[in-house]
């Protein structure tokens, strides 16, 4: 049975409401019939009106979809948040230290804590980053750490997103719509702000300006363009932090700097928050067919002429095969036991673990090592016999391309339906900003919710929705 974050295990009587939710539930019980449902419909119209959509690749109909939004917030107490924050900070420090080590002395490989083949044979590892120190020593300027909950004090890291974590625009807009729909809630309940994120982001990126920067850094967001699934977020972030939104065609290398086209000619850019993958960043150094990047930008980067956030090569830290070694990585670089645990993971690249996975496919979740967005995965308990057999063949053909995990009893938070409150499974992505002398974790984050009853898949591309996440200022 799943842990209900509002009701705990008591079944829903007023006395059983967990402390973090009591003020909200008291407010909800006072609302006139249909008010919350009516406001929920208004929220959906608002999101549609301002264009908060995402694109779905590979489908003939309706390229753009509206991500469902639910008005029942996910609430974390201040004490819960403090525990989570400590664990998240420990983890991101270890990830940044790991990336520095992997691109320099590779001490963790020498110590035998992770296999060399996991790095050497990994497409996300960039040999061209070897020996290079990024400005400020920061590889992972922005990290999204996906967390799931299974009990009152049981939190697990599901995966790390160190390349180009998305979703912060939904975190901010979800809060904005809740403020508009239910302003009295924020007057009654002490809820931490998330609206400072854009200014924190700009400050954090500016603190990592390259050696060539003179004066106040010029910051820009590099987008693949309007057809990208996250284009709304790219434009939203640029606007919110007062940065330029640019495409590769707006940039060129001029006098050893990366410069953007303006009405006054080309102007140097100091920090580029890129939302395109490594392979498309520079056709001279990576994929020669890329039309999205900037020829020569990687050479300028290595020469100290521009900062790229996140640093090229950080994708090795998101690798799902490497994920199973994260407890070792945390301990190796911090000298401490991990404060946040991993989900138990089978490495299908290891024959004995593969054999166990093949025997238990109907009860496990199997993921592609390089997969994302809920694609390319098998949820054993919900799969048909044909789907299981199809995945069995995939695993046998390419075992090192997959990991497997148990099907966790993810916690639930109620959503608001026409019939009233109904529990749905959730996960959580807090956003972390890393600078040379600071780590900022926004007191909130993106809660994704599986809108379908019983579903464990929360990804927006697979029909999931979002909620506002409240951290109580207690």
């Amino acid at each position: 049975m799943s842990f209900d974050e509002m009701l705990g295990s008591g079944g829903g009587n007023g006395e059983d409401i967990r402390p973090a939710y009591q003020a909200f539930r008291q407010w909800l019980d006072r609302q006139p019939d249909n008010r919350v449902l009516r406001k929920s419909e208004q929220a959906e119209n608002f999101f549609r009106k301002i264009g908060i959509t995402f694109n779905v690749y590979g489908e003939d109909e309706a390229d753009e979809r509206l991500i469902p939004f639910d008005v029942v917030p996910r609430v974390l107490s201040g004490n819960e948040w403090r525990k989570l924050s400590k664990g998240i900070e420990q983890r991101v420090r270890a990830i940044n230290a790991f990336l520095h080590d992997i691109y320099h002395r590779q001490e963790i490989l020498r110590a035998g804590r992770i296999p060399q083949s996991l790095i050497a044979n990994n497409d996300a590892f960039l040999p061209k980053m070897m020996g290079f120190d990024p400005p400020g020593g920061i590889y992972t300027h922005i990290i999204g750490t996906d967390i799931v909950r299974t009990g009152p004090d049981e939190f697990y890291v599901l995966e790390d997103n160190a390349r180009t974590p998305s979703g912060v625009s939904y975190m901010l807009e979800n809060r904005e719509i809740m403020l508009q729909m239910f302003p009295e809630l924020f007057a009654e309940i002490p809820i931490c702000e998330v609206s400072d994120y854009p200014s924190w982001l700009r400050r954090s990126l500016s603190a990592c300006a390259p050696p060539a920067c003179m004066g106040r850094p010029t910051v820009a967001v590099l987008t693949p363009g309007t057809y990208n699934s996250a284009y709304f977020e790219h434009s939203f972030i640029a606007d919110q932090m007062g940065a330029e939104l640019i495409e590769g065609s707006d940039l060129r290398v001029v006098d050893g700097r990366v410069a953007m086209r303006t009405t006054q000619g080309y102007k140097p850019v100091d920090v580029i928050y890129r939302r395109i993958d490594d392979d498309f960043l520079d056709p001279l150094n990576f994929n020669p067919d890329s039309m999205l990047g900037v020829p020569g930008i990687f050479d300028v980067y290595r020469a100290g002429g521009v900062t790229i956030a996140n640093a090229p090569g950080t994708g090795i830290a998101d690798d799902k095969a490497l994920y199973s070694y994260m407890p070792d990585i945390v301990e190796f670089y911090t000298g401490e036991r991990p404060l946040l645990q991993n989900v138990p993971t089978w490495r299908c690249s290891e024959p004995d673990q593969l054999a166990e996975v093949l025997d238990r496919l109907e009860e496990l979740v199997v993921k592609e090592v390089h997969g994302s967005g809920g694609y390319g995965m098998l949820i054993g308990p919900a799969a048909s016999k044909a789907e299981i057999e199809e995945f069995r063949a995939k695993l046998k053909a390419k075992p090192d391309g997959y990991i497997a995990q148990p099907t966790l009893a993810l916690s639930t938070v109620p959503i608001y339906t026409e019939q009233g409150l109904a529990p749905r499974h959730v996960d959580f992505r807090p956003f972390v900003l890393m600078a040379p002398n600071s780590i900022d974790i926004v007191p909130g984050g993106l809660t994704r919710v599986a809108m379908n009853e019983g579903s464990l898949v929360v990804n927006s591309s697979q029909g999931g929705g979002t909620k506002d996440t409240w951290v109580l200022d207690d």
Side-chain angles (χ1 to χ4, degrees):
M1 183 174 178
S2 298
F3 171 67
D4 189 307
E5 297 190 19
M6 179 185 280
L7 305 179
S9 57
N13 295 324
E15 296 177 358
D16 299 319
I17 303 299
R18 297 183 64 247
Y21 276 90
Q22 284 178 357
F24 172 78
R25 184 56 191 261
Q26 290 166 6
W27 169 88
L28 185 63
D29 289 342
R30 297 195 306 266
Q31 299 312 298
D33 291 345
N34 292 330
R35 183 192 180 220
V36 176
L37 188 60
R38 190 172 67 253
K39 289 288 187 180
S40 180
E41 293 168 353
Q42 290 177 14
E44 181 176 331
N45 291 334
F46 174 82
F47 283 135
R48 194 178 302 280
K49 183 174 167 183
I50 65 174
I52 305 182
T53 60
F54 70 100
N55 294 340
V56 181
Y57 298 128
E59 296 195 2
D60 295 332
E61 343 177 316
D63 278 352
E64 293 193 346
R65 287 185 186 170
L66 192 72
I67 297 182
F69 170 72
D70 180 65
V71 295
V72 179
R74 197 226 193 121
V75 188
L76 297 169
S77 70
N79 189 49
E80 288 171 332
W81 179 250
R82 284 185 285 275
K83 289 180 180 178
L84 273 176
S85 295
K86 287 180 181 178
I88 294 166
E89 180 172 337
Q90 179 196 56
R91 195 170 178 104
V92 299
R93 286 189 187 279
I95 288 173
N96 198 69
F98 165 74
L99 288 165
H100 184 275
D101 183 28
I102 282 301
Y103 288 114
H104 288 81
R105 290 184 52 81
Q106 301 188 335
E107 296 287 356
I108 197 167
L109 301 185
R110 298 168 192 261
R113 297 295 288 269
I114 62 174
Q116 294 194 19
S117 60
L118 199 60
I119 305 299
N121 300 333
N122 199 309
D123 291 340
F125 177 71
L126 290 187
K128 291 186 177 185
M129 284 292 290
M130 288 295 295
F132 173 65
D133 291 309
I138 303 299
Y139 289 83
T140 50
H141 307 78
I142 304 103
I143 297 181
T145 303
D146 288 352
I147 293 172
V148 294
R149 186 177 195 174
T150 59
D153 298 305
E154 296 167 353
F155 294 91
Y156 294 90
V157 176
L158 190 62
E159 62 183 53
D160 303 287
N161 296 279
R163 258 175 282 208
T164 53
S166 62
V168 75
S169 61
Y170 300 102
M171 174 189 77
L172 295 170
E173 288 289 17
N174 289 350
R175 176 60 54 85
E176 182 63 26
I177 195 64
M178 288 293 284
L179 282 163
Q180 290 189 35
M181 296 292 109
F182 310 109
E184 72 276 13
L185 268 172
F186 294 85
E188 294 179 21
I189 302 174
I191 303 163
C192 293
E193 293 278 354
V194 297
S195 58
D196 290 333
Y197 177 86
S199 60
W200 288 8
L201 176 59
R202 174 143 199 153
R203 181 185 66 199
S204 185
L205 291 173
S206 297
C208 297
C213 175
M214 300 296 174
R216 187 170 186 261
T218 298
V219 179
V221 176
L222 176 60
T223 176
T226 57
Y227 295 105
N228 183 263
S229 63
Y231 179 75
F232 168 81
E233 175 153 298
H234 306 164
S235 58
F236 178 88
I237 290 174
D239 179 65
Q240 291 290 305
M241 70 170 173
E244 300 292 335
L245 180 67
I246 53 176
E247 297 183 30
S249 57
D250 298 319
L251 299 173
R252 65 169 56 171
V253 174
V254 179
D255 298 328
R257 300 293 305 279
V258 176
M260 65 180 175
R261 183 171 50 202
T262 72
T263 54
Q264 286 82 40
Y266 279 86
K267 174 184 176 182
V269 180
D270 299 300
V271 182
I272 295 177
Y273 176 21
R274 53 79 176 245
R275 297 298 296 261
I276 65 176
D277 292 338
D278 290 349
D279 203 32
F280 299 100
L281 192 59
D282 182 344
L284 295 183
N285 282 280
F286 305 116
N287 183 351
D289 297 325
S290 172
M291 302 294 289
L292 302 176
V294 186
I297 189 175
F298 188 74
D299 300 309
V300 175
Y301 174 59
R302 284 193 57 104
V306 70
T307 294
I308 299 174
N310 286 348
T314 55
I316 189 74
D318 303 5
D319 188 275
K320 291 183 176 65
L322 191 74
Y323 164 88
S324 63
Y325 292 94
M326 276 304 300
D328 296 291
I329 289 171
V330 170
E331 192 171 334
F332 187 82
Y333 295 107
T334 68
E336 304 165 350
R337 299 299 298 271
L339 298 174
L340 287 175
Q341 298 304 310
N342 269 21
V343 177
T345 302
W346 286 269
R347 303 165 188 145
C348 297
S349 58
E350 299 182 14
D352 57 335
Q353 296 193 30
L354 173 63
E356 185 175 353
V357 169
L358 290 172
D359 284 342
R360 300 176 56 189
L361 268 182
E362 67 282 353
E363 61 188 73
L364 300 178
V365 175
V366 186
K367 301 177 181 178
E368 288 184 340
V369 166
H370 299 301
S372 63
Y375 295 106
M377 65 188 292
L378 174 80
I379 300 179
S384 66
K385 288 185 178 180
E387 289 169 333
I388 289 173
E389 292 310 309
E390 180 184 348
F391 236 86
R392 188 185 305 279
K394 289 180 180 180
L395 279 168
K396 289 179 176 178
K398 191 182 178 184
D400 59 352
Y402 297 90
I403 61 163
Q405 296 171 332
T407 308
L408 297 180
L410 302 186
S411 63
T412 64
V413 172
I415 65 168
Y416 203 86
T417 72
E418 292 184 5
Q419 290 75 39
L421 299 181
R424 295 292 186 270
H425 296 292
V426 290
D427 79 354
F428 180 44
R429 178 177 293 178
F431 295 96
V432 188
L433 300 174
M434 194 169 195
N437 298 309
S438 66
I439 293 178
D440 293 311
I441 307 174
V442 184
L446 177 66
T447 288
R448 301 183 300 180
V449 54
M451 301 300 288
N452 298 322
E453 184 177 0
S455 174
L456 294 171
V457 181
V458 300
N459 303 77
S460 56
S461 55
Q462 308 293 308
T466 65
K467 288 174 169 289
D468 190 15
T469 307
W470 294 359
V471 172
L472 300 184
D473 189 10
D474 56 22

